[in-house]
Amino acid sequence: MKKNLILLLLLLSVKLAKADEGMWLPYILGQQVYVDMVKKGLKLTKEQLYSINKASIKDAIIIFGNGCTGEIVSAQGLIFTNHHCGYGAIAEASSVEHNYLRDGFYARNKQEEIPSKGLTAQFLVRVEDVTPKVEEAVKGLSGAERAAKLQAIMPDILKAATEGTHYEARVMPMFKGNQFLLFVYERFKDIRLVGTPPESVGKFGGDTDNWEWPRHTGDFSVFRVYAGKDGKPAEYSADNVPMKARSFLPVSIKGVKENDYAMIFGYPGGTNRYETSYGVKLKTEVENPSIVNLRDIRLKYMFEEMKKDPAVKLQLASSYASIANYWKFFDGETKQLLKYHVYEAKQKEEAAFKAWANGKPEFANVFPQYEKAYKAWSPYTKHRIYVNEGILGSPLAAYAGTLLQLETAILRNGDIKAAAAAADAARNAFLENENKPSDQKIVAATAQMFYNDIAKDQHPIGFYEGLKSFGSLDEEKTYKTWAASVFANTMILNDDKWKKFISQPDATVLQDDPAFAYASAFVKNYNTKYAPFFQQFTAENNEQGRLYLKGEMQRNPNASRYPDANFTMRLSYGQVKPYKPRDAVNYDYVTTVTGVMEKYKPGDYEFDLPKGFADLVQKKDFGQYIDAKRNNLVVGFITTNDITGGNSGSPVINGNGELIGLAFDGNYEALSHKIQFDNNYNRTINVDIRYVLWCIDKLGGAKNIINELKIVK
């Protein structure tokens, strides 16, 4: 066991296989990796990057909300993150009368800062390797038995790590379950909105520019962490005070040059760099195209309604942005995986592994088992996606599906009162965001897509036969007529019917409801027939993945490896660099406000600008944020850093540990990055911190925020 653990730790310290590839665990930063960082321009010690006993950069990095990164930039807990990370909170704080999403907002003092209900910030306290404990508990087990045992032992490990404290902890598997690390966090629950640019700045370029370079988006927002008077996390209270930061990042307005060192700390959400050729094939042929087609329909009908009414635009803004972001990603990922022949590259790697594994009992059967698992699951892959992204892509159907819990409580004599209360509360939340015209069209379209695209023997028994009363199943009109009937007759959208039902929940009444009958038909069909297949596939895929990577470690003990991203703190490092995406096209490493004005279209949904912006640019009123070399205001820049979703809002830090930008996107040419890093084309797109400060100061007039920062000139 100790020998294997030492091997795993050594894997973090070997030299890089590809320039700038790697999402490294900062608490175990191998010497060779650190030396390479210094060669590229790092001026800090390892302890200044990550320390348990002293304040370090890691103390300024937070998990912002449930899926982004943020950084502390003042002694009073001020947070910088992306606009799209704060989007939900900004929309929640907005109203038609006070539309902060459209108009922007900056608090002139702390009393004006707006509480963000449900938003949290988590600080990493410490990391502990618990592999010995875990391996001892699962010794001799494999597959489902190993997975069950892992689940059983985790509560005791977490309890031991947090007992007597207000901390929380998570054990995260690394290297496909060959290593286990315990992460301890402190969660602050009183987070307040301090500032946001207008959406026309924070989302400039919209879906057209998403995942694209050159980019001109001011993707930032500003929040603050509050604590109780004792300095500890507390629920919102008017008596809470700004958190005293253990560490915060100074802000440099010196600007960036080509080849400058760039380091990104943050919480990348997920990669699968050790995916097999089987997984790549399924993704490119079935999974991604299905998701793209279904999201395309949802976005189409939402956008139609959003264009008609500012109130609807505000209502659907957060949901639309979330769906659109990865609609384009999945489309681009498929194209890049095919373009760069990743499937063939994986096959070549696997052939080498098979040759090495021949005659080794532990590893010889890995790929035959992989093949068997994929063969068993592949016929049902599209079905699962069409349920989750299609049928339950409708907000009404998604909510109706949750009523299965209430049905179970009624039929099995459970706690009906509690289930009804939960259903009632969830309905209120659903209705706040429900747009009936778009949702009705989504229901009709996705039900028809399921009928046409999913094998008939996988359809829920009797459902489509019931639709024949509305017309031919081959005609679009049938589904539209049926969907209109669902929306007209469901008690979910009728307050009187709902109040009567929820006061005395009855299974027959629920089952007769057309929205519940629709959602439950598909959910029950999937859960009963196909969910067990998916569970078996997942367990087998995980087990073979663990063995494959374990074997690879033995086959190539000196190869460079880092764990797949799993929303734990990582650092990546690289340089500011231009790139050439195709013949005769050369992209510079920065964009400026000149490009913003070139794209500007007054009144356009994606390329409009707020009042006063053009005047400031025309006057060249850039103040201390001007780039002297260009006599212009730099908006964004690109680096070679290795990041993925979850890194949104991550600080881009120079060699001195100073904030120079916020990471917010990747480039279209390298959207295969979750599975394979591209050394030539991979770029991280960042908003320049000088543009952020200019928007706050000159455009927003919020000098109070600027004065709170430690600015390095």
Side-chain angles (χ1 to χ4, degrees):
M1 178 57 233
K2 289 183 178 179
K3 183 178 179 181
N4 288 339
L5 182 57
I6 291 171
L7 172 62
L8 286 166
L9 297 181
L10 286 174
L11 289 172
L12 295 173
S13 63
V14 295
K15 67 181 181 180
L16 288 166
K18 295 180 179 179
D20 307 326
E21 177 181 356
M23 300 178 183
W24 305 98
L25 291 160
Y27 99 105
I28 310 177
L29 198 59
Q31 186 60 23
Q32 191 61 43
V33 174
Y34 176 70
V35 167
D36 196 52
M37 294 168 71
V38 171
K39 283 181 180 178
K40 282 191 167 73
L42 179 65
K43 303 292 194 299
L44 305 178
T45 65
K46 286 186 185 180
E47 195 169 49
Q48 286 175 302
L49 298 176
Y50 183 100
S51 175
I52 293 294
N53 300 315
K54 296 180 181 179
S56 59
I57 285 179
K58 74 101 171 161
D59 297 306
I61 314 302
I62 63 169
I63 296 176
F64 182 84
N66 295 318
C68 279
T69 301
E71 51 276 355
I72 304 300
V73 292
S74 84
Q76 298 181 70
L78 199 67
I79 300 170
F80 279 179
T81 188
N82 285 159
H83 180 266
H84 74 263
C85 292
Y87 203 84
I90 299 164
E92 183 70 24
S94 298
S95 63
V96 175
E97 295 78 21
H98 300 286
N99 194 333
Y100 303 132
L101 204 59
R102 181 192 64 202
D103 303 329
F105 163 80
Y106 292 103
R108 306 300 169 175
N109 52 61
K110 294 184 178 65
Q111 287 69 41
E112 292 183 1
E113 295 174 2
I114 303 173
S116 301
K117 185 179 179 181
L119 189 60
T120 67
Q122 297 176 64
F123 291 80
L124 179 61
V125 177
R126 62 185 175 86
V127 184
E128 178 186 342
D129 193 322
V130 294
T131 308
K133 294 179 185 177
V134 174
E135 289 292 348
E136 181 62 30
V138 299
K139 194 173 184 179
L141 300 179
S142 62
E145 288 183 324
R146 178 184 170 91
K149 187 65 174 178
L150 283 173
Q151 190 172 4
I153 64 173
M154 289 307 165
D156 288 340
I157 294 176
L158 300 178
K159 182 179 179 182
T162 59
E163 198 165 24
T165 74
H166 62 277
Y167 297 148
E168 55 190 72
R170 298 184 281 277
V171 174
M172 303 299 292
M174 303 287 171
F175 298 108
K176 298 284 188 182
N178 284 288
Q179 184 183 25
F180 295 87
L181 300 180
L182 171 77
F183 293 81
V184 179
Y185 298 95
E186 184 175 37
R187 185 190 295 265
F188 285 79
K189 300 178 181 180
D190 185 354
I191 312 299
R192 305 184 193 180
L193 175 63
V194 176
T196 174
E199 187 178 24
S200 52
V201 169
K203 203 182 172 185
F204 184 80
D207 297 322
T208 299
D209 277 5
N210 193 19
W211 302 106
E212 301 285 352
W213 182 260
R215 196 69 170 273
H216 299 85
T217 311
D219 200 345
F220 76 91
S221 57
V222 188
F223 290 80
R224 191 186 304 278
V225 187
Y226 278 76
K229 291 184 177 179
D230 59 359
K232 293 181 180 179
E235 297 291 343
Y236 169 78
S237 168
D239 294 330
N240 286 348
V241 296
M243 182 202 73
K244 292 181 180 179
R246 177 178 168 89
S247 177
F248 67 91
L249 299 178
V251 179
S252 171
I253 58 172
K254 295 178 182 177
V256 298
K257 303 186 302 296
E258 187 172 347
N259 296 321
D260 274 359
Y261 177 83
M263 177 170 61
I264 293 178
F265 265 78
Y267 286 85
T271 57
N272 196 7
R273 300 272 170 89
Y274 306 107
E275 178 63 284
T276 65
S277 61
Y278 299 110
V280 173
K281 185 178 179 67
L282 193 64
K283 178 174 280 291
T284 56
E285 293 184 357
V286 180
E287 293 177 346
N288 285 5
S290 297
I291 293 171
V292 169
N293 289 341
L294 290 163
R295 290 197 172 200
D296 190 46
I297 289 295
R298 293 159 65 191
L299 291 169
K300 173 187 173 181
Y301 292 128
M302 292 170 73
F303 189 62
E304 283 180 0
E305 299 304 319
M306 291 168 72
K307 286 191 299 182
K308 297 176 184 177
D309 187 342
V312 174
K313 181 185 175 184
L314 186 61
Q315 178 190 39
L316 297 179
S318 183
S319 178
Y320 183 90
S322 176
I323 296 167
N325 187 33
Y326 272 88
W327 169 84
K328 191 169 185 177
F329 172 83
F330 287 122
D331 182 57
E333 181 184 51
T334 299
K335 290 174 181 175
Q336 306 312 324
L337 288 171
L338 294 173
K339 180 179 180 180
Y340 301 128
H341 305 288
V342 174
Y343 172 74
E344 291 79 7
K346 293 288 185 183
Q347 283 190 313
K348 187 176 180 181
E349 294 169 6
E350 290 159 12
F353 179 88
K354 291 174 188 176
W356 170 84
N358 188 30
K360 297 179 175 64
E362 188 175 12
F363 306 111
N365 205 36
V366 166
F367 277 92
Q369 287 297 110
Y370 260 132
E371 183 176 14
K372 182 180 177 182
Y374 273 91
K375 187 175 182 180
W377 170 246
S378 293
Y380 314 115
T381 301
K382 184 182 283 190
H383 182 124
R384 180 173 185 271
I385 292 170
Y386 267 59
V387 170
N388 290 329
E389 290 277 348
I391 304 303
L392 300 181
S394 153
L396 174 62
Y399 170 71
T402 67
L403 296 178
L404 283 162
Q405 298 173 33
L406 178 55
E407 181 192 42
T408 300
I410 297 170
L411 295 177
R412 297 183 182 178
N413 295 318
D415 191 340
I416 299 174
K417 186 176 181 180
D424 194 38
R427 176 179 178 266
N428 292 333
F430 154 70
L431 289 176
E432 284 182 13
N433 299 305
E434 171 66 348
N435 177 254
K436 296 176 188 177
S438 62
D439 197 6
Q440 184 173 311
K441 292 175 183 177
I442 290 169
V443 166
T446 53
Q448 184 176 14
M449 290 175 73
F450 193 101
Y451 176 77
N452 290 331
D453 298 346
I454 302 301
K456 300 297 186 286
D457 62 356
Q458 294 181 26
H459 289 182
I461 295 173
F463 176 77
Y464 284 105
E465 285 76 5
L467 260 62
K468 289 180 181 178
S469 62
F470 294 92
S472 170
L473 295 178
D474 296 322
E475 294 183 7
E476 183 180 0
K477 182 181 178 182
T478 300
Y479 298 90
K480 289 183 175 180
T481 304
W482 161 76
S485 176
V486 170
F487 275 73
N489 293 293
T490 178
M491 64 182 176
I492 295 172
L493 299 175
N494 185 305
D495 287 341
D496 291 336
K497 288 182 179 179
W498 177 262
K499 287 177 183 177
K500 183 178 179 181
F501 164 75
I502 208 67
S503 64
Q504 290 184 313
D506 179 88
T508 302
V509 173
L510 179 60
Q511 292 162 353
D512 286 343
D513 184 84
F516 178 77
Y518 170 53
S520 64
F522 285 85
V523 173
K524 288 178 179 179
N525 181 55
Y526 173 78
N527 287 345
T528 303
K529 297 179 181 178
Y530 307 109
F533 292 149
F534 182 68
Q535 291 165 1
Q536 291 168 17
F537 167 73
T538 301
E540 190 63 34
N541 200 21
N542 290 343
E543 178 64 10
Q544 299 313 315
R546 180 180 68 85
L547 291 172
Y548 179 29
L549 194 47
K550 183 179 179 181
E552 277 292 282
M553 291 173 178
Q554 294 182 21
R555 187 171 78 88
N556 293 309
N558 295 319
S560 173
R561 289 188 184 87
Y562 48 87
D564 267 319
N566 56 4
F567 208 52
T568 56
M569 184 183 284
R570 307 295 178 91
L571 71 80
S572 69
Y573 64 98
Q575 293 173 291
V576 176
K577 276 189 181 295
Y579 72 110
K580 183 177 179 179
R582 54 191 178 276
D583 186 46
V585 176
N586 292 280
Y587 283 154
D588 199 355
Y589 60 90
V590 298
T591 55
T592 68
V593 288
T594 298
V596 176
M597 298 310 300
E598 288 170 350
K599 291 180 176 179
Y600 173 40
K601 298 177 185 177
D604 186 77
Y605 187 80
E606 296 181 313
F607 294 98
D608 198 4
L609 286 170
K611 183 179 179 181
F613 190 103
D615 290 340
L616 288 169
V617 173
Q618 187 176 13
K619 296 174 185 175
K620 284 192 174 291
D621 188 1
F622 303 141
Q624 63 181 334
Y625 315 114
I626 192 170
D627 188 283
K629 177 183 175 183
R630 295 173 177 79
N631 191 34
N632 208 335
L633 180 64
V634 171
V635 172
F637 63 96
I638 50 174
T639 66
T640 58
N641 292 76
D642 188 0
I643 69 165
T644 191
N647 272 121
S648 290
S650 287
V652 190
I653 303 168
N654 64 18
N656 297 317
E658 299 157 351
L659 184 66
I660 57 174
L662 310 181
F664 71 91
D665 213 350
N667 60 322
Y668 193 81
E669 295 85 0
L671 285 185
S672 57
H673 69 262
K674 283 185 178 290
I675 291 177
Q676 183 158 296
F677 182 87
D678 189 283
N679 187 48
N680 296 315
Y681 295 111
N682 187 85
R683 292 296 184 273
T684 291
I685 300 174
N686 315 289
V687 57
D688 193 293
I689 202 63
R690 293 170 294 176
Y691 186 57
V692 171
L693 301 188
W694 180 81
C695 288
I696 294 172
D697 185 353
K698 294 290 185 175
L699 187 63
K703 275 281 188 191
N704 55 304
I705 296 175
I706 302 298
N707 294 338
E708 193 174 326
L709 308 173
K710 181 180 179 181
I711 294 179
V712 180
K713 300 181 180 181

